[in-house]
Amino acid sequence: MCGRTAVSLGADGIRRACAYRDNQGRKRHPEWKNADKYSPSYNKCPQSNNPVLLSQQHFEKDSSSSERVLVAMRWGLIPAWFKEDDPSKMQYNTSNCRSDTMMQKLSYKGPLLRGKRCVVLADGYYEWQQCNGQKQPYFIYFPQTVQETFNKSDIEDKDPDGQRLLTMAGIFDCWEPPNGGEALYSYTIITVEASKSVSSIHHRMPAILDGDEAVGKWLDFAEIPTQEALKFIHPIEKLAFHPVSTVVNNSRNNTSECIVPIQLDLKKETKVSASSKMLMNWLTSKPKKEEDDGLPRWSSQFIQAASASRKTSINVMNQGMEKENGEPSAKQCKNQ
């Protein structure tokens, strides 16, 4: 499940963080199609506009399908066949689509077979762990090579070079109002069963594309057929995460406090992992360094799981249809 994300970089920072190599090996940065419709936030929810990568060939037929562009799209897919004049009248929750049933649902199967694959970008996503009748939010993201990435209070770009954005596999579509007007681009995030590294937090996770090769092949609809692209839809283990304040529970709260790690009460814990001890020791013993933004810094690599046990979704594409409305119930918390 993925129902909340953080995207703190400004439009130019997103562009710089999405550097890639084209077919000739040249370093490129994708250009924006509509940067004016994007605004950064530490607390993005469905129906907001978010940065999405897709092949430039969707807009320019003569361009290479390996070239990339950035588009601000509405989170929550509105299919092209939707007949109402207002997208808010969509009766179904399309912010996520399950990998095991998406080929059985017209809203997703149609765009997917037409090559409408995209990559949804974020600093990371939030998930809630149910524990003792309470829900504890966690922030989940790629381990960073550059430390102290997430404690900048200014949501305008500082130094995005080196930051590794989370790259989630998605499906998009273009809806045109029946009475005329501007076309609406919207997307859904594909979800899979949670990997071992995050299953104690929630039993579902977004399908994350690990590495530029996976991103490139998922986007290149002209060269990579659907069935081959679906091989990249599986859980991954290489993720970092930390608990955050419940201030993130309210989607109106847009502050860096949403992603700052907190120390949980460990009094009732019978076993604390070495990685958790390292984090807690750092938080309690290291003097807080102050930047101009006045927030403490931390390393974003205190939790990193081992190699992934790859699971593809292809073998279960023909299972019964399920609708993913609302948050699935989270797993009960486990002792660390």
Side-chain angles (χ1 to χ4, degrees):
M1 185 86 188
C2 179
R4 207 78 66 81
T5 65
V7 197
S8 63
L9 293 175
D12 187 62
I14 292 289
R15 187 184 68 86
R16 290 165 57 191
C18 290
Y20 69 100
R21 299 283 177 181
D22 63 17
N23 289 341
Q24 286 73 45
R26 297 171 298 183
K27 185 177 181 180
R28 304 288 298 274
H29 292 88
E31 296 299 329
W32 277 94
K33 301 295 290 186
N34 58 348
D36 58 307
K37 293 187 176 181
Y38 163 71
S39 60
S41 172
Y42 285 103
N43 204 344
K44 288 279 193 178
C45 61
Q47 300 187 26
S48 62
N49 286 339
N50 295 286
V52 174
L53 273 176
L54 62 157
S55 169
Q56 187 172 341
Q57 199 173 93
H58 288 295
F59 297 97
E60 300 176 17
K61 300 303 181 183
D62 295 332
S63 64
S64 169
S65 60
S66 65
E67 298 298 321
R68 306 174 190 179
V69 293
L70 282 162
V71 182
M73 290 192 188
R74 179 189 187 272
W75 186 358
L77 188 144
I78 305 298
W81 48 261
F82 186 62
K83 301 302 183 183
E84 298 287 349
D85 58 358
D86 184 353
S88 66
K89 295 180 180 179
M90 184 73 178
Q91 296 181 359
Y92 303 103
N93 181 354
T94 57
S95 57
N96 292 166
C97 72
R98 293 178 64 100
S99 61
D100 52 348
T101 61
M102 64 185 179
M103 292 299 284
Q104 300 176 9
K105 295 186 177 182
L106 181 61
S107 297
Y108 309 134
K109 179 180 179 180
L112 188 57
L113 293 180
R114 297 196 303 273
K116 293 185 179 295
R117 307 193 298 253
C118 65
V119 174
V120 183
L121 304 168
D123 297 345
Y125 74 99
Y126 300 100
E127 197 54 87
W128 280 257
Q129 179 191 62
Q130 191 165 3
C131 182
N132 298 326
Q134 303 294 322
K135 288 187 176 182
Q136 171 59 51
Y138 282 79
F139 187 56
I140 306 171
Y141 50 95
F142 272 139
Q144 302 292 310
T145 56
V146 177
Q147 294 184 355
E148 307 153 352
T149 299
F150 298 118
N151 68 331
K152 301 178 187 299
S153 63
D154 186 357
I155 62 176
E156 297 300 326
D157 10 359
K158 299 285 188 175
D159 184 13
D161 295 329
Q163 179 174 347
R164 189 181 181 194
L165 295 176
L166 200 66
T167 45
M168 297 173 283
I171 303 169
F172 77 95
D173 209 345
C174 180
W175 172 78
E176 297 183 2
N179 298 324
E182 185 179 2
L184 174 67
Y185 283 85
S186 59
Y187 70 89
T188 185
I189 296 174
I190 300 172
T191 66
V192 295
E193 292 183 5
S195 62
K196 183 178 179 180
S197 61
V198 296
S199 62
S200 63
I201 300 174
H202 199 279
H203 67 273
R204 302 289 295 177
M205 68 182 295
I208 297 170
L209 301 166
D210 189 6
D212 195 63
E213 179 183 2
V215 169
K217 289 187 175 181
W218 179 253
L219 293 177
D220 194 353
F221 67 97
E223 298 295 330
I224 308 299
T226 301
Q227 290 301 316
E228 183 176 346
L230 288 174
K231 295 178 182 178
F232 295 97
I233 304 302
H234 56 75
I236 71 166
E237 298 285 351
K238 294 190 296 182
L239 293 170
F241 56 85
H242 58 252
V244 294
S245 168
T246 54
V247 71
V248 74
N249 292 0
N250 189 331
S251 61
R252 292 189 293 271
N253 292 333
N254 176 18
T255 167
S256 58
E257 185 181 355
C258 290
I259 61 174
V260 172
I262 63 169
Q263 181 173 351
L264 297 178
D265 182 8
L266 301 178
K267 291 180 181 180
K268 296 182 180 180
E269 299 287 348
T270 58
K271 181 180 178 181
V272 181
S273 67
S275 57
S276 296
K277 286 182 178 179
M278 181 173 64
L279 168 63
M280 298 309 175
N281 289 338
W282 190 95
L283 289 172
T284 55
S285 64
K286 185 175 178 64
K288 295 181 180 179
K289 296 182 180 179
E290 297 288 338
E291 293 284 67
D292 292 339
D293 54 25
L295 289 171
R297 291 175 169 268
W298 76 89
S299 168
S300 63
Q301 288 181 309
F302 50 81
I303 302 180
Q304 181 174 0
S307 61
S309 56
R310 297 172 62 88
K311 297 181 181 177
T312 66
S313 300
I314 301 174
N315 293 334
V316 289
M317 288 298 171
N318 293 319
Q319 291 184 2
M321 295 175 59
E322 295 182 46
K323 184 166 67 177
E324 191 168 292
N325 282 322
E327 282 193 16
S329 59
K331 292 188 176 181
Q332 295 297 320
C333 62
K334 299 179 180 180
N335 291 334
Q336 298 294 320

